[in-house]
Amino acid sequence: MTAVPQRSSRIAVWRAEKLFTVRNVALAVALIALFTAGPLVLGAYWTRIVTVSMIFAIAAAGIALLYGRLGLVSLGQVSLIGVGGWITLRVGHATELPFELVLVVAAIGTGLIGVLVGLPALRLSGLNLAIVTLMLAGAFEVVFNVTGFPNGGDGFLGRAQGGVLQQPLPRPVLGTTDPDYFRYVLVVSILMFLVIALHLSNRPGRAWAAIRQSEAGALAAGIGTVRYRLWALAVVSATTGVAGGLLAANAGLLDPISFKASQSILLFATVLIGGAFSLLGAAIAGFLSQGLPPLLDAWGVNGNLIFVILGLGMIQAITTAPQGIAGQLKGLATRLRNRFTQGRSR
Amino acid sequence: MSGALLVEGLTVQYGGVKPLDEVSLTFESDVCGLIGPNGAGKTTFFNALSGFAAPASGSLTMAGTDLLAMNPAKRARWGLRRTFQQEQVIHTLSAWDNIRLSSEHTGGGRTAVERAVDFVGLEGLDRAGSALSMLERRLVEIAKTVCGEPRLILLDEPGAGLDAGETERLIGLIRRIPEEFGALVILVDHDMDLVSTVCGTTAVLDFGRVIAVGVTAEVLASAEVRRAYLGTVELEETA
C-alpha cells in the first residue's frame, strides 16, 4: 500500500486549493466591500430593500437545500419565516434576553416546529409533498390571521389591542440604524449560509445527495434515511427561523398579510430561477423575491407583474437553464477563465 | 473469511406471484455466481438479502447472524454491500466523495477509503461523478463495496455497459476481493464469460426456483440450464 501516503498528500493539496480559489477570495472581497460601502452606495431606500432581500435569501437557501440536494419540494418556507418571527417577537417582548439569544430561541423553536410539520416529508416526495406543504402553508396563513403577531401585549399571544398600546420590538444593539442593521443582517446571513454550506460539503450533504439519487442506494450505503431527512428539515427550519427573527426586528412588528401561502410559491419560483443547486442561486432568489418588485416600480412598471415575470422566468429556467441564473453565471465564468488561460498559454 | 451464507426456504411473494419460491442455497466462499434468464428472481434474491424485499418465509444467516433481523441500513453497517443494475454514482459529488459516502456510514474511515481507491486504481478523484466514464463509475461502485470491513458483497451486473477490455480489468478486481478483503462475493451477470471466469461455483434460478447449483463449468454445461436460457426449441434445433 505504498501509494496511500502519496494519495493522501495529493488530497490535502486538493482541499487547500479548493479553499483558496480565485472565486472564494473574490467572494470574500465582495462581501467585505458590501459590508463597508453597501449602505453608502445603495442609499436609504435600497439599503432597506437589500436588507429584506438578504433575509429572504436565508429562507431561499433552505429551499435550495431541500430541493437541490434532497429533491424535496417545500412550499411552506415563508410560513416558517412567520413562525420564526412570531417566536422572536413573543420572546423578545417577554424577556430581557439579548437579541442574539432570542434569535437562537427562534431557531430552535422553528426547527422543532419545522420538523413536526415536515414529518410528511418522510413518506412523501414530488408533487404529493408539494401539495401537503402548500396546504400547511395555508393553515399557517389562517392561524397568523387569527392570532396575529405579538406586539407587546399580555397573554400567550402577546397581543395588545389598540394602536397606542402596540410596542415594536427594538432592533439589536449593533443594528439600531438602517445601515447598521443592513450590516448586521449581512453578517447573520453569511453565518446562516456558512451553516448550510458546511452541511452541504460534509457528511450530511453527501448523505442527502445519496438519498436524492436513490433511496435504495442510500440505504445500501448504510445511511439512515429517516434521520438525515429529519436533520435536513431541522437545519432548514432553524435557519429559516433566524430569517423570521431578523425580519421581525427589521420593523419591530409583523403583519399576517406578509405570510400568505402564495408568497411561499413565489419564493420557491425564485429559487428555481436563481438556481437551486448553489447558494449563489439562493442569494439571487432572495433579491428576485424582494428586490425585483420595487425595482419594477422604480422603472415605472407595476410591481404586481412579478408573478407574470417570474412565471416566464420559471419556464425559461425549466426548459433551458435547469441550473438557474447561478448556473449560467458559473458557465460564463468558466468560459472566461478558459479563454483567459488559453490566451496566457499562447 | 466471513463464513458461509445459508439461505433456507426463502420465499418472496407479491400477491399470487412468487419471484422466489423455497430457495435454499449455501454460498461457501470466494466468488459465487447467480444466473438465470430475465425474471428468474436474481434481483429479487439480492433485494431479499439486502433487505429491500421482505420474505414471506425462510431464513438468511451468515456467520451466525440472522440477516432478516436487520433493516437495510443495519445490514450495510454489518458488512453487507451491494451494487445495483443501474449504477448509483452521484453526479454532483466527486469520485472521492462518492466512495467516502459509503465508508462514513459503514464505519470504514479515511484509511478504508484510501485502501479502496488504491485497490480499484482510480485516478482523478476530484472529478464529479458526471465526468466519469462507465468503467470509472463501475470502479467507484466496486470501491464503495470494499470500504470498511465487508462480509458479503452482492454485485448486480457489474459488467453492464463495459467493453471487453474494461470487463477484463473488472474481472481481475472481482477475483481479488475475497483474498484482499475477506468477503464473500455473489455475482449476478448475463455475461457468461465473466461468470465462468470469475465464479468458482454458480447457482441457477428459473421462475424463482433453483434449477442447478455446483461448479460453474458443470452448471453452464447442464442441459436444464441451457434449456432455461435458450428454450426447448433452440435446444432441439441444436441437437
Side-chain angles (χ1 to χ4, degrees):
Chain A
M1 309 302 287
T2 50
V4 171
Q6 288 177 350
R7 183 163 281 115
S8 299
S9 60
R10 263 208 329 265
I11 290 162
V13 170
W14 164 50
R15 281 182 169 168
E17 285 172 352
K18 278 181 78 176
L19 190 62
F20 295 104
T21 57
V22 173
R23 188 196 66 174
N24 286 357
V25 172
L27 180 64
V29 170
L31 289 174
I32 290 168
L34 191 61
F35 182 87
T36 51
L40 298 173
V41 175
L42 290 168
Y45 177 69
W46 282 102
T47 293
R48 287 196 293 274
I49 299 293
V50 175
T51 299
V52 178
S53 298
M54 289 190 291
I55 292 171
F56 274 77
I58 299 172
I63 294 173
L65 187 157
L66 289 178
Y67 181 69
R69 192 47 79 94
L70 260 167
L72 300 177
V73 177
S74 171
L75 296 178
Q77 292 308 110
V78 170
S79 303
L80 286 177
I81 297 177
V83 172
W86 194 97
I87 295 172
T88 301
L89 289 173
R90 191 69 198 91
V91 176
H93 280 301
T95 68
E96 298 293 324
L97 289 173
F99 181 71
E100 290 72 25
L101 280 183
V102 175
L103 273 186
V104 172
V105 173
I108 294 169
T110 313
L112 290 172
I113 290 171
V115 167
L116 200 64
V117 300
L119 286 176
L122 300 178
R123 296 280 173 198
L124 301 175
S125 60
L127 186 60
N128 292 340
L129 179 64
I131 290 171
V132 168
T133 53
L134 184 60
M135 291 177 81
L136 285 169
F140 272 111
E141 182 181 332
V142 172
V143 171
F144 289 147
N145 275 321
V146 171
T147 63
F149 283 91
N151 56 6
D154 298 324
F156 176 75
L157 296 177
R159 292 285 296 168
Q161 301 304 322
V164 182
L165 298 173
Q166 289 185 8
Q167 295 284 330
L169 185 74
R171 279 182 176 174
V173 177
L174 294 173
T176 49
T177 64
D178 281 351
D180 285 348
Y181 196 63
F182 172 95
R183 295 186 178 100
Y184 189 92
V185 169
L186 176 62
V187 170
V188 176
S189 301
I190 291 170
L191 288 175
M192 293 303 105
F193 269 56
L194 279 176
V195 165
I196 291 176
L198 282 172
H199 275 84
L200 289 174
S201 60
N202 283 289
R203 184 178 166 130
R206 289 188 287 274
W208 294 332
I211 293 169
R212 181 191 169 102
Q213 173 96 351
S214 157
E215 179 101 15
L219 285 167
I223 296 168
T225 54
V226 171
R227 185 156 55 96
Y228 276 97
R229 277 212 169 106
L230 285 174
W231 192 339
L233 290 171
V235 169
V236 168
S237 303
T239 51
T240 306
V242 169
L246 292 172
L247 193 65
N250 187 41
L253 295 166
L254 289 175
D255 190 336
I257 202 165
S258 305
F259 302 99
K260 287 183 171 180
S262 59
Q263 292 299 315
S264 288
I265 301 174
L266 190 73
L267 189 60
F268 186 84
T270 60
V271 170
L272 287 187
I273 297 166
F277 301 96
S278 77
L279 293 178
L280 173 63
I284 294 169
F287 181 77
L288 285 177
S289 70
Q290 300 303 309
L292 193 55
L295 192 63
L296 291 174
D297 283 335
W299 289 340
V301 180
N302 189 336
N304 290 324
L305 283 174
I306 182 96
F307 282 101
V308 178
I309 292 168
L310 291 183
L312 292 171
M314 269 192 71
I315 292 171
Q316 192 266 339
I318 291 168
T319 52
T320 64
Q323 303 285 325
I325 295 171
Q328 291 175 313
L329 289 175
K330 280 181 183 173
L332 180 66
T334 305
R335 282 197 296 277
L336 288 174
R337 191 170 60 237
N338 291 343
R339 189 167 294 178
F340 178 70
T341 49
Q342 283 170 3
R344 285 183 65 181
S345 63
R346 278 181 194 147
Chain B
M1 295 297 287
S2 298
L5 170 68
L6 305 176
V7 182
E8 291 177 0
L10 190 70
T11 299
V12 174
Q13 189 162 2
Y14 301 127
V17 180
K18 287 184 178 176
L20 289 178
D21 190 4
E22 290 287 328
V23 171
S24 294
L25 285 167
T26 300
F27 295 93
E28 293 287 352
S29 60
D30 292 333
V31 185
C32 306
L34 182 67
I35 62 171
N38 287 330
K42 306 183 294 296
T43 297
T44 304
F45 183 75
F46 271 14
N47 286 342
L49 282 179
S50 49
F52 297 113
S57 61
S59 67
L60 295 169
T61 53
M62 186 168 179
T65 303
D66 178 10
L67 295 183
L68 293 179
M70 296 183 278
N71 65 30
K74 277 188 180 171
R75 287 183 211 194
R77 288 176 215 134
W78 169 82
L80 191 153
R81 310 276 194 274
R82 74 165 288 183
T83 65
F84 295 82
Q85 282 180 15
Q86 181 76 33
E87 51 89 8
Q88 300 285 315
V89 172
I90 300 164
H91 292 187
T92 51
L93 297 184
S94 67
W96 170 264
D97 278 346
N98 265 284
I99 301 166
R100 178 162 62 162
L101 175 71
S102 173
S103 171
E104 61 194 2
H105 294 278
T106 51
R110 185 185 176 85
T111 312
V113 182
E114 289 172 344
R115 187 180 174 208
V117 168
D118 208 33
F119 175 70
V120 298
L122 190 64
E123 296 293 334
L125 298 171
D126 57 336
R127 283 178 299 154
S130 57
L132 301 177
S133 68
M134 181 52 78
L135 173 64
E136 288 169 327
R137 290 177 193 202
R138 295 294 180 192
L139 294 180
V140 167
E141 299 264 77
I142 297 286
K144 283 168 70 177
T145 63
V146 298
C147 267
E149 294 180 4
R151 298 169 191 247
L152 173 60
I153 296 176
L154 312 176
L155 300 176
D156 199 347
E157 300 191 27
L162 302 183
D163 63 29
E166 293 168 339
T167 305
E168 275 298 313
R169 182 169 172 185
L170 197 70
I171 285 171
L173 284 177
I174 295 172
R175 291 173 88 160
R176 285 169 49 212
I177 290 175
E179 186 186 335
E180 294 241 4
F181 296 93
L184 167 66
V185 179
I186 304 178
L187 171 74
V188 162
D189 212 295
H190 287 294
D191 183 343
M192 289 305 121
D193 289 338
L194 174 64
V195 172
S196 58
T197 310
V198 171
C199 305
T201 58
T202 294
V204 186
L205 288 176
D206 192 24
F207 293 110
R209 288 179 167 274
V210 179
I211 60 168
V213 61
V215 176
T216 301
E218 294 171 8
V219 165
L220 294 181
S222 149
E224 192 174 7
V225 172
R226 293 179 66 201
R227 189 178 299 115
Y229 260 99
L230 302 175
T232 313
V233 177
E234 286 84 348
L235 265 183
E236 286 169 352
E237 283 175 354
T238 309

